[in-house]
Amino acid sequence: MTETRLQITNDSLFRELLVTPTKTVTDEPLLEGDAAVKLVGNTDQGADMVLTPQNGELIVAHSRYLMRNSYFASHIEFQGLATPNDEARMKLVKLLVPFPNAFRFALEQIYSNDQNFYKDNLSAARFVPIFMNAQYFQIEWLILGCTHWFKENWKSIIAQPPFSIYHVDEVSIEKLLANFQDASVKFEIMLGWTRDCTDTDCLPSTRAFVEKNVCFNAIHENQFLDLCNQYQATAEFCVNFKNVCLFLTKMRASYEGMKKAYEKIDNKYDRVKIKCQECAQFFNVYDFNKRCPTGRYRTDHRSDTVEL
């Protein structure tokens, strides 16, 4: 059995592939595991279509096996996706895939019908393409497996270029965060996710999303400062400066600690006004370690109103 994997570089070869008769085996039971995976790209066993993602790869496929998947099952009549050819015995179906270079792997998972098949094929570099394609094609068990794998390997995954706000949407991030309780870990994942972000127009929505998913009050001051220092370039995309001031005053951070945090975020500490709950007066961050009119140091007070 010879596997056929072609690129659209030879029109005559493509025409020959499409008109090649195939053996119809619609009454035979579907294969599982490795035996089924070997059919991906193979013209035997009732192949009746050619799938092509936007990278131009041609993959011979079998509608019977694709019917195992809810995405393909709902589009199995192709609803305008198929390009019929009077000379061809197969249908050509063009697909727009989030990561076309990982499309073949998604097909193999669908064919295998084996929920353990993915485990030996995941890596930090391939995680995002596999995870995002799994969501696109609604491969639920692969999505679940990826989220569990992410929990054990998140450090190496967030360092990879594909782990970016430009490739992974908010819904996907929330799925990945669902298995974590540690707020500092969630915050670091968010910082890694926004690492390449340069669009200041998305600042408000991104900060709101981070605030929704990260409990800053559960992060120790030193952890917070270390993470802001590690991700200096993009910390401002994750942190609302006003909320950082609020967080640090509630934690009764030291004057030096607060000043360093402000400098790490966006160097606006000179514009911060903090309201003392004892005397109801606003004071500058420079005066955070001084006494208020009550005679007590402001570091001992609950100061949870911050205005810029």
Side-chain angles (χ1 to χ4, degrees):
M1 184 178 295
T2 303
E3 185 178 39
T4 305
R5 188 177 184 183
L6 307 173
Q7 298 291 326
I8 304 180
T9 55
N10 188 323
D11 290 340
S12 62
L13 185 59
F14 178 47
R15 286 171 61 89
E16 180 181 350
L17 170 65
L18 289 179
V19 300
T20 301
T22 60
K23 178 183 177 182
T24 302
V25 289
T26 54
D27 294 333
E28 294 185 11
L30 297 179
L31 301 176
E32 305 277 344
D34 290 338
V37 170
K38 291 179 180 178
L39 294 179
V40 177
N42 197 295
T43 57
D44 290 338
Q45 298 292 316
D48 55 0
M49 66 185 64
V50 177
L51 305 179
T52 176
Q54 62 267 39
N55 64 352
E57 183 180 16
L58 294 175
I59 304 178
V60 177
H62 310 69
S63 60
R64 293 200 311 141
Y65 284 87
L66 296 181
M67 283 288 287
R68 284 174 162 171
N69 172 258
S70 58
Y71 174 88
F72 281 107
S74 62
H75 295 84
I76 204 62
E77 295 303 323
F78 309 118
Q79 301 176 7
L81 293 176
T83 303
N85 186 318
D86 293 338
E87 299 179 0
R89 296 180 183 275
M90 299 186 188
K91 291 182 179 180
L92 174 63
V93 181
K94 297 180 180 179
L95 298 169
L96 291 176
V97 183
F99 287 87
N101 291 336
F103 172 57
R104 190 181 185 90
F105 180 81
L107 279 183
E108 290 174 349
Q109 306 314 300
I110 294 170
Y111 270 63
S112 73
N113 203 35
D114 180 357
Q115 298 187 12
N116 295 315
F117 187 78
Y118 71 91
K119 292 184 178 179
D120 295 331
N121 295 278
L122 282 177
S123 67
R126 300 183 68 196
F127 177 83
V128 169
I130 289 174
F131 177 59
M132 296 307 294
N133 280 356
Q135 292 194 99
Y136 184 82
F137 291 108
Q138 302 168 24
I139 311 174
E140 296 300 332
W141 54 266
L142 182 55
I143 296 171
L144 182 62
C146 283
T147 58
H148 290 314
W149 201 83
F150 181 81
K151 185 177 181 180
E152 303 298 326
N153 302 275
W154 66 272
K155 274 277 191 182
S156 56
I157 293 172
I158 67 172
Q160 300 297 318
F163 191 82
S164 163
I165 194 172
Y166 298 113
H167 298 304
V168 184
D169 59 26
E170 292 182 356
V171 173
S172 302
I173 286 293
E174 287 186 325
K175 287 181 180 179
L176 295 176
L177 292 177
N179 289 327
F180 294 91
Q181 300 297 325
D182 190 325
S184 64
V185 172
K186 289 185 176 183
F187 185 41
E188 184 170 358
I189 291 171
M190 291 291 199
L191 288 167
W193 179 57
T194 58
R195 180 180 53 245
D196 299 325
C197 189
T198 57
D199 184 5
T200 55
D201 291 339
C202 72
L203 270 174
S205 60
T206 303
R207 286 174 173 175
F209 177 69
V210 174
E211 183 178 341
K212 171 186 172 184
N213 288 277
V214 177
C215 178
F216 285 103
N217 284 350
I219 304 176
H220 189 274
E221 173 194 349
N222 291 336
Q223 289 179 304
F224 178 82
L225 295 177
D226 288 344
L227 288 172
C228 287
N229 184 48
Q230 182 180 348
Y231 295 89
Q232 290 185 43
T234 58
E236 64 176 313
F237 284 91
C238 284
V239 180
N240 182 303
F241 184 65
K242 183 175 180 179
N243 289 341
V244 172
C245 300
L246 173 61
F247 158 67
L248 289 174
T249 55
K250 282 185 175 180
M251 293 293 291
R252 294 178 172 80
S254 66
Y255 161 71
E256 289 298 327
M258 290 181 68
K259 186 172 180 293
K260 288 179 181 179
Y262 301 151
E263 291 173 337
K264 296 301 183 186
I265 301 302
D266 50 12
N267 203 29
K268 294 180 181 176
Y269 59 88
D270 58 328
R271 293 168 47 196
V272 175
K273 297 293 182 182
I274 304 174
K275 184 178 182 180
C276 176
Q277 297 299 299
E278 297 292 325
C279 63
Q281 293 184 0
F282 287 94
F283 58 93
N284 191 284
V285 65
Y286 288 116
D287 299 324
F288 187 71
N289 62 339
K290 297 181 180 179
R291 295 180 186 271
C292 77
T294 64
R296 299 175 61 193
Y297 284 103
R298 292 188 173 104
T299 51
D300 296 328
H301 295 169
R302 175 177 173 79
S303 305
D304 58 2
T305 302
V306 180
E307 293 190 358
L308 299 180

